[in-house]
Amino acid sequence: MRSGAFVADYDAWHRSWAADPHAFWDAAARELDWFAPWSQVSEIHGPDQGAGHRWFIGGKINLSHNCLERNIERGLGERVALHFESENGAARSFTYSEVLHEVSRVANCLKSFGITKGDRVVVYMPLTPQGIFTMQACARIGAIHSVVYAGIGPDALRQRIEDAGARMVICADATYRRGKVIDLLSIVERAVQGLGFVENVLVHRREAVRPLGQRQSDFEQCVRRQSPQCSAVVTDAEDPAFILYTSGTSGKPKGVVHVHGGYAVGVHLLMRHYYDTRENDVWWSTSDIGWIVGHSYICYGPMLAGCTQVVREGAPDWPDAGVVWSLIAKYRVSTMFTAPTAVRMFMRAGPEPVEKHDITSLRVLYCAGEPFNPEAQEWAARHLGKHGAAVVDNYWQTEIASPMIGTFPAMTARPGFAGKPMPGVELDIVTPEGAAVPDGKGGLLVMKKPVPYMMRTIWGDPARYLAYWSRMLGGYVTGDIAVRDAEGYIAVLGRSDDVLNVAGHRIGTAEVESALLTHPAVVESAVVGLPDALKGECIVAFVVAKGSEPVGRVAEDLEAALIVHVRDTLGPIAQPSKVTFVASLPKTRSGKIMRRLLKARELGQEVGDISTLED
Ligand code: AMP
């Protein structure tokens, strides 16, 4: 067991919650700064009464204030909050006081454009200090940020801007990846074309190769003109802090809404007591601000905990396979958060790049986002954990914003298992009819009661929020299949719905299918996920083309064109690895595509029960 860990004993922490859940959350909330106290810890309705839940009722708080002023008042103003590195060679560090000044300048800049509490601001920025400052600035003035991963294509971006009704879009004109300059501004320009409600586009000009267009203003110029003072707006614990879109089973992404109070309490609690962070820790998450991990454990968590973090823009294997390890050595990184896909990439490069650098500072490596295959976990434990660092898995999702299941650093890691439920998280594994499944058997993973750090609704679509809750299944339905062993460890095996997980990112089959249908040569399409040695899953599309079934060279050209089409519409993360042309798609008599059959065909497996197949 590691010495000095906050939570040496999972069982004791769990018991403290079980003994009195209200007192547990009350104490967790008291660790933060509140402008006014709450009168009641929670109010929870079951699925029958709208599945609503509110936390810290009547309490007034601000997420950004808790990241910045609270730590500066505790004497951490001169501590480095961010060490930024970009693969293009840029490097800069900011102390907590400097971050407060920068965030305040951006907040004043937003105000100068008339942005106020409750307005939606879409952020399409790469992982840069400016991206983080912009998110914090929105939270500071009570504006609701909706960060869209700067890599998502123009149609997908436009859909998110429209759904949120954003008054402003803030972007960078470029990002750097694998030695290339990637033009982001053109994507934004295509996305906002004709959207009259977007009043301004603020552009962080890193390349500045062309003059600014209509509605566009220079981010840095506006920010530099502002005062570095801007006190945080008082928000209610239940006021929305941000929207983050994620894929579901329809073509329309879901705008998951998180709030200031419960979110801050949960992220802070788990940053300290699960991620075990102390103020002298150097944290590094290799995620991006476009994902939930980048919200909770880049933009907010490390600054809620008052530690130092490394933020790096660029590919983890560029300019060479040792870059991650060289940065760990340079900044003496103590806790790292990455995804199994990254570990598989490190594994491919072999142990040599690791061995060239001093990674003795590393005490824990956390992995999340997709099933952590035992082979990768064992490789990481052997080569990355050889100086004593624990390698542990944790499971959560955009909707929950912080871990639901995890292996604690002081717990024995069980390869293939994510770990045990976090205190406050009550889970069940059930059959589709809601009956309990015995240990060792797979079933649907359900959370019996809400936690303060989970979503409050789906933006503009309360019915879709309600659809997560099932009285029959006994609570919030995660959409995942899981299995529990006799000792209470849980393995999350994969999705139970038509959502894929490619390199740790969720992609709805319906989104890719809709994108394919916008191509003039496509009549029908179906998308499935197949196992991939690096990305966990890859996307394979089956397409019925207009006219006769393409073959030979025609098929090859159309396949290439469709891959490019999806890439241009949704972005590179959604692009199929392969397109197969078929004369028709297998469907049930009610017209539902049987993706299971397509998948079995590709994998050369038995197709199983086909009694509902029409043809
Ligand atoms: P996202 O909302 O994009 O973060 O994706 C969440 C989904 O990723 C979950 O519903 C799971 O399907 C999967 N996932 C996340 N973490 C894990 C994990 N540790 N083990 C297995 N699956 C995971």
Side-chain angles (χ1 to χ4, degrees):
M1 195 176 287
R2 271 176 334 107
S3 60
F6 270 138
V7 184
D9 184 353
Y10 166 81
D11 295 324
W13 198 35
H14 208 278
R15 274 197 305 273
S16 78
W17 163 74
D20 189 344
H22 271 246
F24 178 88
W25 289 117
D26 191 82
R30 280 175 202 280
E31 292 186 23
L32 298 180
D33 263 5
W34 293 77
F35 301 126
W38 54 96
S39 56
Q40 199 181 321
V41 170
S42 64
E43 187 187 287
I44 294 171
H45 303 287
D48 291 345
Q49 302 109 36
H53 60 112
R54 301 195 298 141
W55 295 81
F56 312 110
I57 294 157
K60 306 289 175 202
I61 189 169
N62 181 288
L63 182 55
S64 174
H65 168 92
N66 271 285
C67 293
L68 301 174
E69 284 93 331
R70 187 177 58 90
N71 284 318
I72 293 167
E73 283 157 18
R74 292 196 298 147
L76 304 181
E78 295 316 305
R79 167 161 299 159
V80 172
L82 306 177
H83 289 299
F84 171 66
E85 294 257 347
S86 171
E87 65 160 49
N88 76 350
R92 201 174 155 192
S93 301
F94 297 84
T95 64
Y96 273 86
S97 296
E98 286 167 337
V99 172
L100 175 61
H101 288 160
E102 292 303 318
V103 169
S104 298
R105 282 201 171 94
V106 180
N108 286 328
C109 165
L110 296 181
K111 287 204 234 169
S112 75
F113 282 97
I115 300 294
T116 61
K117 192 171 166 199
D119 283 340
R120 274 82 59 210
V121 174
V122 164
V123 179
Y124 191 73
M125 295 174 106
L127 180 54
T128 52
Q130 289 75 13
I132 295 170
F133 301 156
T134 301
M135 293 164 74
Q136 288 265 354
C138 289
R140 176 157 292 266
I141 64 170
I144 303 168
H145 59 70
S146 167
V147 183
V148 180
Y149 174 66
I152 275 179
D155 290 18
L157 173 59
R158 183 187 182 85
Q159 200 177 24
R160 287 155 173 79
I161 295 171
E162 276 187 303
D163 190 78
R167 288 182 65 189
M168 180 178 246
V169 175
I170 309 185
C171 67
D173 62 355
T175 183
Y176 309 99
R177 198 162 173 92
R178 294 214 160 85
K180 289 199 200 101
V181 179
I182 296 165
D183 173 10
L184 299 176
L185 187 56
S186 307
I187 295 174
V188 174
E189 285 171 342
R190 276 175 63 190
V192 300
Q193 215 165 36
L195 296 185
F197 57 86
V198 179
E199 295 161 19
N200 293 287
V201 178
L202 262 184
V203 188
H204 176 217
R205 302 176 81 203
R206 312 175 81 193
E207 289 292 310
V209 284
R210 51 194 158 106
L212 290 170
Q214 245 192 340
R215 288 189 281 183
Q216 295 177 359
S217 304
D218 186 309
F219 176 86
E220 277 297 327
Q221 266 180 20
C222 299
V223 167
R224 288 298 130 223
R225 283 201 295 267
Q226 307 298 326
S227 143
Q229 257 95 46
C230 173
S231 45
V233 156
V234 174
T235 59
D236 189 88
E238 286 291 311
D239 279 340
F242 64 86
I243 305 171
L244 182 59
Y245 285 88
T246 188
S247 294
T249 49
S250 85
K252 191 174 174 244
K254 303 188 259 201
V256 168
V257 176
H258 286 290
V259 299
H260 277 261
Y263 176 81
V265 172
V267 171
H268 174 256
L269 180 80
L270 290 162
M271 186 75 198
R272 283 172 57 88
H273 297 280
Y274 171 62
Y275 292 119
D276 196 30
T277 319
R278 281 154 276 178
E279 284 144 16
N280 55 4
D281 265 313
V282 180
W283 170 265
W284 182 11
S285 162
T286 63
S287 184
D288 185 278
I289 52 171
W291 314 118
I292 190 63
V293 177
H295 283 62
S296 300
Y297 296 105
I298 294 178
C299 182
Y300 295 116
M303 288 197 255
L304 282 169
C307 69
T308 296
Q309 73 172 315
V310 174
V311 167
R312 181 175 186 267
E313 175 188 26
D317 57 351
W318 185 272
D320 57 71
V323 65
V324 164
W325 321 115
S326 75
L327 289 174
I328 289 183
K330 178 173 173 184
Y331 293 111
R332 306 291 299 153
V333 171
S334 52
T335 37
M336 186 174 175
F337 187 141
T338 195
T341 292
V343 172
R344 289 189 290 264
M345 204 179 83
F346 302 146
M347 205 169 128
R348 269 195 187 176
E352 296 76 27
V354 186
E355 279 155 14
K356 285 197 196 127
H357 300 278
D358 173 7
I359 61 160
T360 51
S361 57
L362 199 62
R363 56 183 190 86
V364 199
L365 177 71
Y366 293 94
C367 277
E370 54 185 315
F372 200 1
N373 54 311
E375 194 195 358
Q377 192 161 354
E378 278 153 13
W379 186 90
R382 191 160 57 248
H383 297 288
L384 309 178
K386 73 173 181 193
H387 304 290
V391 175
V392 296
D393 192 359
N394 58 119
Y395 159 87
W396 41 301
Q397 43 183 215
T398 305
E399 291 85 343
I400 314 293
S402 273
M404 298 159 76
I405 301 173
T407 303
F408 283 65
M411 221 184 224
T412 308
R414 207 162 272 199
F417 287 79
K420 294 191 178 183
M422 292 294 142
V425 175
E426 294 175 75
L427 299 172
D428 239 348
I429 300 175
V430 298
T431 66
E433 292 73 39
V437 163
D439 289 345
K441 285 254 181 311
L444 304 173
L445 182 67
V446 172
M447 185 159 71
K448 293 199 268 187
K449 286 192 190 131
V451 286
Y453 50 91
M454 74 184 291
M455 66 168 167
R456 295 301 188 267
T457 188
I458 296 296
W459 184 261
D461 202 346
R464 243 175 143 192
Y465 168 74
L466 272 184
Y468 278 94
W469 297 86
S470 160
R471 194 160 67 100
M472 186 172 75
L473 299 183
Y476 167 89
V477 183
T478 60
D480 284 306
I481 297 172
V483 60
R484 183 164 27 208
D485 74 2
E487 285 179 51
Y489 279 77
I490 298 172
V492 180
L493 308 173
R495 300 286 307 185
S496 62
D497 53 12
D498 288 325
V499 173
L500 311 180
N501 190 319
V502 179
H505 306 309
R506 245 154 88 174
I507 295 159
T509 51
E511 257 178 288
V512 184
E513 288 163 4
S514 313
L516 283 164
L517 283 177
T518 61
H519 191 281
V522 176
V523 177
E524 245 187 331
S525 76
V527 161
V528 299
L530 294 186
D532 182 274
L534 184 66
K535 295 187 279 186
E537 245 180 334
C538 67
I539 301 175
V540 174
F542 292 84
V543 164
V544 180
K546 235 173 227 161
S548 56
E549 201 180 319
V551 285
R553 189 62 199 274
V554 179
E556 278 168 31
D557 290 349
L558 187 55
E559 176 180 19
L562 292 179
I563 291 174
V564 169
H565 177 71
V566 176
R567 187 189 170 95
D568 280 355
T569 318
L570 299 177
I573 54 166
Q575 94 182 34
S577 309
K578 184 174 155 196
V579 178
T580 300
F581 296 101
V582 289
S584 66
L585 294 172
K587 287 188 191 151
T588 61
R589 281 177 207 112
S590 57
K592 215 168 166 269
I593 296 171
M594 293 179 84
R595 293 188 184 78
R596 168 172 76 75
L597 297 191
L598 295 167
K599 196 164 172 166
R601 183 190 118 150
E602 280 300 297
L603 294 172
Q605 293 170 343
E606 292 284 319
V607 291
D609 177 18
I610 52 166
S611 56
T612 55
L613 185 68
E614 192 195 34
D615 179 3

